[in-house]
Amino acid sequence: MDHSGHGMGMNMDLPPFTLGRGLEWSMDPFFLIGCLAGLGLYGWAVLRLRRRGDSWPVSRMVFWTLGVLSIALVMCTKLNDYGMVMFSVHMVQHMVISMLSPILLLLGAPVTLTLRALPVAGRGRKGPRELLLALLHSRYLKVITHPAFTIPMFIASLYALYFTPLFDFLMGSKTGHIAMMVHFLAVGLIFFWPIMGVDPGPHRPGYIMRMLELFAGMPFHAFFGIALMMATQPMIGTYKNPPSSLGIDALADQEAAGGIAWAFSEIPSVVVLIALVFQWYATEKREAKRQDRAADRDGDKELAAYNAYLASLNARGQ
């Protein structure tokens, strides 16, 4: 059997898919190094803050770690091998890396952490922190994080990729496959960044606006899943002739992939909504406290002014 012609030759002898087999370790060097670097750099930044005597919420560390692990789960296991030959498994990878990992990573507030960990450069000099701030304020970032860009991009990542020859082209090589997964992750991060609103970014929409942004993309996502479920023939070349060792039917597998895409469009909505409601509640509580404090301070002044006013009336009356 010639493995060189088709980069995925090794996937031809995979046994039928089970969750146990899917979760076996299978190293993808690119994502493994990326995940380790992600954990290492985050940990280093937190340590820098701690040494300085600053605190960093444990919850954020937990979210970040879960986010990185969710990427490792779909990219550094046999799921990645099965994803090459089974549309349904690929769809799980796609959904996790574009809708779940980004939300978890963003809840880890990596931008805030980076800005706090990087040293401020001397006067007139530009260090990494200054460059990052310049990027955050740049027009480029304003454009790519604007809902008018992120929502169509999020949708195009589904339709334009799967329903054109682009998908098969990318799946034809290791590099193409990695590029596609990185793209899914990047689009997810850009889409959810303004919506989560944990990190500073060019857009800070209000809570109502954020919910609207979130719900604008989801129906298209659900419809994409339904389109796959309703299709009467396999639509994607890569998955047209699954290896016989898997014992699956291409059309049934495609239906399963559609079902996964459809069901997954609800998960981020719920997670993000919960996060937004919590943030909203916290903001309202802070605001109420601030007003109470202001009232305590001003209340005394108002009372003094009122007493003075009464005294002046008295004086006039005599």
Side-chain angles (χ1 to χ4, degrees), residues 18-34:
T18 62
L19 194 58
R21 283 178 186 146
L23 294 178
E24 281 171 24
W25 175 251
S26 172
M27 196 185 79
D28 178 280
F30 178 86
F31 278 96
L32 182 66
I33 292 165

Side-chain angles (χ1 to χ4, degrees), residues 145-251:
T145 56
H146 194 279
F149 179 87
T150 59
I151 295 169
M153 189 67 182
F154 195 68
I155 297 160
S157 279
L158 292 171
Y159 293 87
L161 188 72
Y162 287 97
F163 299 157
T164 67
L166 191 57
F167 185 86
D168 291 331
F169 167 73
L170 289 170
M171 287 297 274
S173 70
K174 210 54 183 184
T175 318
H177 183 243
I178 288 173
M180 177 164 48
M181 288 299 172
V182 170
H183 168 81
F184 289 152
L185 180 63
V187 168
L189 285 167
I190 287 169
F191 178 74
F192 288 110
W193 182 8
I195 293 174
M196 301 311 294
V198 178
D199 267 333
H203 291 279
R204 296 308 295 264
Y207 289 101
I208 302 292
M209 207 50 224
R210 289 201 234 160
M211 290 182 187
L212 290 175
E213 270 183 51
L214 174 66
F215 290 125
M218 293 310 153
F220 293 97
H221 207 288
F223 183 75
F224 166 74
I226 293 165
L228 283 178
M229 284 159 83
M230 304 293 279
T232 48
Q233 77 246 31
M235 291 164 78
I236 290 173
T238 308
Y239 300 117
K240 264 201 175 99
N241 305 303
S244 52
S245 65
L246 288 172
I248 55 164
D249 167 55
L251 193 58

Side-chain angles (χ1 to χ4, degrees), residues 298-316:
D298 302 343
D300 304 338
K301 268 190 234 155
E302 273 172 28
L303 195 61
Y306 184 62
N307 285 338
Y309 170 68
L310 287 181
S312 73
L313 287 182
N314 263 347
R316 235 176 273 158

Side-chain angles (χ1 to χ4, degrees), residues 119-130:
V120 179
R123 273 184 97 166
R125 288 215 306 276
K126 276 206 157 99
R129 189 173 185 278
E130 288 66 28

Side-chain angles (χ1 to χ4, degrees), residues 104-125:
L104 293 168
L105 292 173
L106 288 164
L107 285 170
V111 179
T112 309
L113 180 64
T114 309
L115 286 172
R116 284 173 64 179
L118 288 173
V120 179
R123 273 184 97 166
R125 288 215 306 276

